[in-house]
Amino acid sequence: MKLQSHTESSVKRREPGIVKLSNTYNNLCTQLQALIRQGKAPPNALPPLPIAREGLFQLDVDDEVWQDIGLDDADGHLPRWLADERIRQGIKCMLELDRCEEEAVRIMRERCALQEWMQEEWMRVGRVKEQFDEGL
């Protein structure tokens, strides 16, 4: 708890600087987009994606900030998994499907365990009832 409190106060202390840095980055992204529109950038250049202010401190592995789309690609051709938004969305959907299938397997195991437990409890109740009936 002490470590968590220390971490939260450290992030809060540095938050204004991080927000300012993200604003500067977003302004540079806008300038790069303008240069690309004006034709003053290398051919096939893709502008970096701006960083959204909301969720800045809850980074997820799928966030755009981790995508390394830049101006320094040697041959100018990006792999389709990086450049094509439909393929990127498809990959995310495939990963979500994989997680759902894994969860379905876990739920089936849990269901079997629950059924076995209930069956055992039902048998115990039946034995107790039989013993009670014999005692009367």
Side-chain angles (χ1 to χ4, degrees), residues 94-110:
M94 281 180 51
L95 291 173
E96 186 173 350
L97 177 64
D98 289 347
R99 300 300 83 76
C100 290
E101 289 171 350
E102 290 170 1
E103 184 66 17
V105 169
R106 281 192 289 274
I107 289 172
M108 290 299 290
R109 279 195 302 247
E110 186 67 26

Side-chain angles (χ1 to χ4, degrees), residues 4 10 13 17-18 37 44 79 83-84 86 88 102 110-112 122 124 129 132:
Q4 182 178 353
S10 293
R13 203 170 48 248
I18 294 170
R37 277 194 304 271
N44 300 323
D84 189 342
R86 292 180 314 169
R88 292 172 59 190
E102 290 170 1
E110 186 67 26
R111 187 191 91 184
C112 289
W122 188 258
R124 286 181 183 171
K129 185 176 180 252
F132 183 75

Side-chain angles (χ1 to χ4, degrees), residues 64-102:
E64 297 296 333
V65 73
W66 303 117
Q67 300 303 324
D68 192 16
I69 301 174
L71 299 172
D72 61 350
D73 296 312
D75 61 359
H77 298 291
L78 292 173
R80 290 183 65 202
W81 62 266
L82 187 57
D84 189 342
E85 183 58 35
R86 292 180 314 169
I87 291 177
R88 292 172 59 190
Q89 189 61 35
I91 290 170
K92 290 178 184 178
C93 290
M94 281 180 51
L95 291 173
E96 186 173 350
L97 177 64
D98 289 347
R99 300 300 83 76
C100 290
E101 289 171 350
E102 290 170 1

Side-chain angles (χ1 to χ4, degrees), residues 14 17 26 32 34 52 67 114 129:
R14 290 171 177 84
N26 289 341
L32 283 171
Q67 300 303 324
L114 187 60
K129 185 176 180 252

